């Protein structure tokens, strides 16, 4: 639409809601072509992103005006939750659900020697050989993924890096389900989860710190419950579908 607006010299205003860099950047590495791509993005009047760091990511990628960006945190009402039909461990486990920018290997190493199992959904990468029960699935229906999170000791969101927005939906779902979180200390997720409130933040790629967080929640069930309830309050008061829709409308309507 932005390209068509340039070609037709249309004056209508354009907004993109949910701008997200999920895979590789939309950039060719060829300067003339990247100039055209940047010009197309530059035709957009408003970009809505779901975390603060994504603003600087797109500014850097496409040389855009920061004044055209607005951050609207993701939110939704919890859909139906199903009892998983897949195999699950017969012991406490942590859940890792998601495919975009997930670091499953670090979680596998963190579980080594803890006696805690792992259920990974969206895992397509080879895992290290560890002394821990890990059940990995490439894909499962979303309602069953929610059931897996609901039954977990903790909802774990491990990121490979902080260069892409990731984990927002999983974080909101986990909070709505009342589970404590262990999450990478990366700006793209700390807009949603606060260390010491809804869960425990650990450095990127740090299996030792993640193992300590797993043991802490295992040894302190009251703390785990406290963090889970804090997350539930956050999700049900701030990150609902109606709240998300209202915040989105509030920034879109002035552009219309």
């Amino acid at each position: 639409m932005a390209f068509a607006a340039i070609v037709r010299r249309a004056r209508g205003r354009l907004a993109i809601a949910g701008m997200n860099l999920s895979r590789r950047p939309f950039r060719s590495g060829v300067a003339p072509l990247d100039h055209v791509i940047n010009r197309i993005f530059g035709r957009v009047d408003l970009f809505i992103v779901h975390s603060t760091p994504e603003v600087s990511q797109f500014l850097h990628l496409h040389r855009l005006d920061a004044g055209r960006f607005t951050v609207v945190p993701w939110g939704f009402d919890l859909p139906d939750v199903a009892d998983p039909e897949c195999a699950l461990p017969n012991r406490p486990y942590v859940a890792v659900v998601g495919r975009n920018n997930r670091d499953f290997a670090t979680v596998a190493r963190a579980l080594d020697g803890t006696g805690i199992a792992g259920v990974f959904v969206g895992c397509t990468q080879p895992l290290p050989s560890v002394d821990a029960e890990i059940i990995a699935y490439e894909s499962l229906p979303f309602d069953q993924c929610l059931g897996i999170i609901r039954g977990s000791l903790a909802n774990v969101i491990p990121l490979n890096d902080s260069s892409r927005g990731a984990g927002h939906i999983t974080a909101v779902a986990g909070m709505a389900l009342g589970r404590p979180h262990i999450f990478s200390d990366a700006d793209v997720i700390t807009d949603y989860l606060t260390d010491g409130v809804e869960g425990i933040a650990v450095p990127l790629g740090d299996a030792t710190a993640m193992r300590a967080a797993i043991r802490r929640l295992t040894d302190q069930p009251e703390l785990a419950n406290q963090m889970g309830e804090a997350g539930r309050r956050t999700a049900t008061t701030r990150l609902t579908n109606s709240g998300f829709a209202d915040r989105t409308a509030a920034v879109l309507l002035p552009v219309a």
Side-chain angles (χ1 to χ4, degrees), residues 24-224:
R24 292 179 299 175
F26 191 39
R27 186 168 56 184
S28 70
V30 179
L33 180 56
D34 287 336
H35 176 75
V36 173
I37 293 171
N38 292 348
R39 187 183 173 198
I40 293 171
F41 275 105
R43 176 59 182 80
V44 178
D45 298 281
L46 174 67
F47 299 90
I48 296 176
V49 295
H50 298 316
S51 66
T52 304
E54 291 175 277
V55 176
S56 58
Q57 291 168 9
F58 288 113
L59 293 180
H60 173 72
L61 277 173
H62 301 299
R63 305 187 186 280
L64 299 166
D65 177 7
R68 300 185 187 188
F69 281 82
T70 298
V71 178
V72 177
W74 174 264
F76 73 122
D77 296 336
L78 195 65
D80 291 337
V81 182
D83 292 329
E85 298 175 4
C86 58
L88 293 177
N90 292 317
R91 66 179 74 187
Y93 66 88
V94 299
V96 186
V97 176
R99 183 174 289 109
N100 183 23
N101 198 22
R102 296 300 199 276
D103 181 8
F104 291 99
T106 291
V107 184
R109 288 191 292 269
L111 291 170
D112 198 18
T114 64
I116 303 298
V119 179
F120 298 171
V121 183
C123 181
T124 59
Q125 58 192 251
L127 296 173
S129 178
V130 296
D131 183 19
E133 181 183 4
I134 296 175
I135 301 176
Y137 299 99
E138 288 191 14
S139 180
L140 287 173
F142 188 56
D143 59 350
Q144 292 192 42
C145 291
L146 295 176
I148 289 170
I149 294 173
R150 181 177 59 185
S152 69
L153 167 70
N155 187 29
V156 182
I157 305 177
L159 303 184
N160 288 310
D161 55 65
S162 59
S163 66
R164 293 163 283 170
H168 307 157
I169 296 174
T170 309
V172 176
M175 285 190 282
L177 289 164
R179 305 318 305 142
H181 286 72
I182 300 171
F183 57 99
S184 295
D185 190 8
D187 289 345
V188 292
I189 196 65
T190 53
D191 273 350
Y192 293 79
L193 298 166
T194 302
D195 182 33
V197 180
E198 294 94 1
I200 302 172
V202 297
L204 289 163
D206 191 332
T208 300
M210 185 168 291
R211 184 181 301 116
I214 292 170
R215 284 179 167 155
R216 185 180 175 194
L217 292 180
T218 304
D219 295 340
Q220 302 180 46
E222 290 185 2
L223 175 64

